[in-house]
Amino acid sequence: MPTRRRVAAVVTATLLTMGTAAGCGALDKALDCVQTADSIANSVDSLQTAVANAGNDPQQADQALDNIESELSSLKNKTDNADLSKAVDDLDKSVDNVRKAIADGDNTPDLTPVTDAAGEIGKVCTPG
């Protein structure tokens, strides 16, 4: 849940800052970034829950990973920001590592790199 709260703060900060400091095109782009970061945070929350409940529903983790990858693909297609592209690549690699760990039989893979990379996307989406 901490990731979700952090993204909610990013949304608020972005709306307040961008509303007065930028034109509509920049505002739309920032909102796309924030909305996608929020979706990624929700998917990371789902992944954490899925890994915690892996014994009950092993497919849940795969679905959460698929959702994160889908959001990353969407975000990657919308940005030309180098910092955001790097953060997306880092999260993509972390998701791949978790998927491989699960495929190799690890029912409790380390999700720290995933949550860290998702948090970095939230930071990059915050106007500074």
Side-chain angles (χ1 to χ4, degrees):
M1 217 46 152
T3 302
R4 186 159 199 195
R5 278 184 246 148
R6 186 170 43 230
V7 171
V10 168
V11 171
T12 303
T14 299
L15 291 175
L16 292 174
T17 304
M18 294 302 293
T20 58
C24 291
L27 178 59
D28 288 343
K29 191 170 187 176
L31 287 174
D32 282 346
C33 185
V34 169
Q35 289 168 345
T36 304
D38 188 42
S39 295
I40 290 169
N42 289 336
S43 296
V44 170
D45 286 344
S46 296
L47 177 60
Q48 290 171 325
T49 301
V51 167
N53 297 323
N56 298 336
D57 187 3
Q59 296 301 322
Q60 192 178 12
D62 277 339
Q63 182 60 50
L65 290 166
D66 289 346
N67 291 344
I68 294 169
E69 287 176 335
S70 174
E71 293 298 334
L72 289 175
S73 177
S74 172
L75 187 55
K76 188 178 274 193
N77 291 334
K78 292 179 185 177
T79 188
D80 57 359
N81 180 295
D83 292 334
L84 183 56
S85 292
K86 182 183 179 335
V88 167
D89 288 342
D90 289 348
L91 181 52
D92 201 22
K93 288 175 190 168
S94 298
V95 166
D96 286 345
N97 289 339
V98 169
R99 191 179 297 277
K100 183 179 180 331
I102 291 171
D104 290 344
D106 185 353
N107 289 330
T108 57
D110 181 13
L111 299 181
T112 304
V114 173
T115 57
D116 289 350
E120 188 61 29
I121 289 174
K123 288 178 194 173
V124 172
C125 288
T126 304

